[in-house]
Amino acid sequence: MSISMTNDIVIGGISIPPGARKRVGIKVAKLYDYTEMTIPVEVLRGKKDGPVLFVSAAIHGDEINGIETIKRLLARKSILSGIRGTLIAVPIINVFGFHQKIRYLPDRRDLNRCFPGSRSGSLGGQIAYIFMEEIVEKCTHGIDLHTGSMHRTNLPQIRASTDDFETKRLALAFGVPVVLNSNLRDGSLRQAAADKNIPMLLFEGGEALRYEEKVIRSALRGIISIMNTIGMIDQKKINLRPRKKEVFVARSSHWIRAPHSGSLRIRKRLGTMVKKDEILGVISDAFGQGRINVRARETGIVIGMNMLPLVNNGDALFHIATFENSKVVEEQVEFFDETLEIDD
């Protein structure tokens, strides 16, 4: 799918003609002191017809790995020069949460449950409405970058509706070892994009309020791979270290919850295979007594975990994805640390 480059794209009241690169601030609201809050956007338009891809981050204000990823993407001059179509980069959607280093909006709403939004709704609804109108509805494809929520970390992974052929094709092309077939959630950006028939991927990796090099590299590598897959950039400008890559779609996933309150000692790390009934961690009291083992329900791969040692009964501790052959997935995750070679 491609968009004709004969017309300007208008974002935030600013016209961006073919071949131009511009930064725009989309006005969303004001603070108590009347400081204008704007969503920062950078638009790169090629001179040839092609897809229109949005890449966004910080829909949760404390998820900053994606912000650094977009910075690095925008710095790749050799790749971005001569692109076909348009790249719309939105490093911070939830500017309110970002400025306060928190996940949510000032009214404690989750912006990723406010889509498609409303012109006269809550603050979250209005921001969602503006983002849909100004960005999403002008695009043919989308990638939204996330991390784990506070005190949780995630293995680099793609979450997508693999029942849709095009979305599954792009999910596999992103190149991270694990793809989680994830149902669309009401009020999410992914749901709103699907309603507009826009294929969209959700990348998860790392934890909140941290820059993690491995996660940032894997996200950047995946975005560039998608740009190549949909015909935006020239394959010759991408220099990947030649290694065998295989992507696995999880059959299902589930969280293992704390069977008791106490302090948790983790026994497994992200990306490792665990067998049914294997010990994932041990909960004990302040004296190291009353030890209770946390065990796996099924054989699978650890794709997410709670990093806070102090846990209450029922807290989500380990996110386990199940596969046809978990051992093969573990091996693939182990050598996924290769770097992306890009000549600038």
Side-chain angles (χ1 to χ4, degrees):
M1 183 168 20
S2 65
I3 299 294
S4 173
M5 303 301 289
T6 57
N7 299 320
D8 290 5
I9 286 180
V10 180
I11 295 178
I14 304 298
S15 294
I16 304 102
R21 178 171 182 166
K22 288 189 179 182
R23 290 182 183 172
V24 178
I26 303 175
K27 295 180 181 180
V28 288
K30 292 182 179 180
L31 297 179
Y32 303 122
D33 63 358
Y34 277 56
T35 299
E36 192 78 60
M37 298 296 283
T38 60
I39 296 174
V41 180
E42 185 157 339
V43 184
L44 293 84
R45 301 203 67 200
K47 295 180 180 179
K48 298 179 180 178
D49 290 354
V52 180
L53 171 70
F54 77 83
V55 181
S56 58
I59 199 169
H60 297 127
D62 58 357
E63 298 183 352
I64 65 173
N65 268 325
I67 299 173
E68 177 64 18
T69 301
I70 291 176
K71 285 183 189 178
R72 296 188 192 185
L73 174 65
L74 293 173
R76 302 301 183 184
K77 296 179 181 179
S78 66
I79 287 179
L80 297 179
S81 63
I83 67 167
R84 294 179 288 274
T86 300
L87 172 66
I88 301 177
V90 190
I92 309 166
I93 303 179
N94 181 1
V95 289
F96 291 91
F98 174 73
H99 279 281
Q100 297 182 54
K101 303 183 185 72
I102 61 172
R103 179 179 178 85
Y104 300 111
L105 291 162
D107 61 1
R108 297 297 298 164
R109 289 178 188 265
D110 183 339
L111 180 53
N112 206 26
R113 297 294 177 268
C114 295
F115 287 86
S118 167
R119 188 191 298 271
S120 58
S122 66
L123 175 61
Q126 291 182 45
I127 294 173
Y129 178 85
I130 291 169
F131 190 75
M132 290 296 297
E133 187 175 64
E134 292 280 4
I135 304 295
V136 178
E137 293 179 7
K138 297 179 172 72
C139 295
T140 60
H141 300 79
I143 301 171
D144 193 31
L145 306 174
H146 288 252
T147 75
S149 57
M150 183 61 74
H151 304 310
R152 291 183 184 175
T153 186
N154 285 325
L155 183 76
Q157 61 195 259
I158 285 292
R159 297 184 183 180
S161 300
T162 57
D163 293 338
D164 177 75
F165 175 82
E166 178 64 7
T167 302
K168 182 177 181 179
R169 183 178 80 93
L170 297 177
L172 297 177
F174 198 92
V176 290
V178 173
V179 171
L180 191 59
N181 184 17
S182 177
N183 293 329
L184 297 170
R185 283 195 165 188
D186 290 342
S188 68
L189 173 57
R190 204 156 57 91
Q191 172 75 70
D195 289 344
K196 297 290 183 181
N197 296 315
I198 298 170
M200 183 187 136
L201 303 179
L202 189 154
F203 171 84
E204 282 275 4
E207 59 182 308
L209 295 175
R210 298 289 184 272
Y211 278 170
E212 295 160 276
E213 191 61 29
K214 179 179 177 181
V215 173
I216 293 165
R217 288 202 313 266
S218 63
L220 178 61
R221 178 167 56 245
I223 294 166
I224 293 171
S225 177
I226 292 300
M227 293 176 70
N228 175 60
T229 299
I230 64 178
M232 291 186 74
I233 57 177
D234 189 344
Q235 172 70 36
K236 296 177 182 178
K237 294 185 177 181
I238 309 173
N239 182 18
L240 285 170
R241 184 177 299 174
R243 287 190 180 182
K244 178 184 175 184
K245 289 194 302 182
E246 193 169 356
V247 179
F248 299 88
V249 179
R251 294 185 303 173
S252 63
S253 72
H254 60 274
W255 278 94
I256 302 295
R257 297 186 176 274
H260 198 278
S261 299
S263 58
L264 171 68
R265 181 182 177 188
I266 293 172
R267 290 281 187 88
K268 298 295 179 181
R269 59 181 175 83
L270 283 179
T272 56
M273 185 187 81
V274 295
K275 296 180 180 179
K276 183 178 180 180
D277 293 328
E278 190 171 356
I279 296 175
L280 306 174
V282 179
I283 296 173
S284 61
D285 65 18
F287 299 100
Q289 302 300 309
R291 292 163 59 90
I292 296 174
N293 293 329
V294 181
R295 297 182 181 272
R297 291 207 312 260
E298 297 180 59
T299 297
I301 299 292
V302 180
I303 63 168
M305 63 171 59
N306 181 8
M307 301 299 290
L308 187 65
L310 309 179
V311 301
N312 290 308
N313 187 10
D315 284 354
L317 302 183
F318 299 93
H319 194 189
I320 310 295
T322 59
F323 300 86
E324 293 292 338
N325 189 335
S326 293
K327 182 62 178 175
V328 174
V329 180
E330 181 186 44
E331 292 170 356
Q332 184 65 28
V333 171
E334 291 224 341
F335 67 72
F336 179 62
D337 229 357
E338 80 269 25
T339 58
L340 180 64
E341 304 276 344
I342 305 172
D343 296 326
D344 275 332

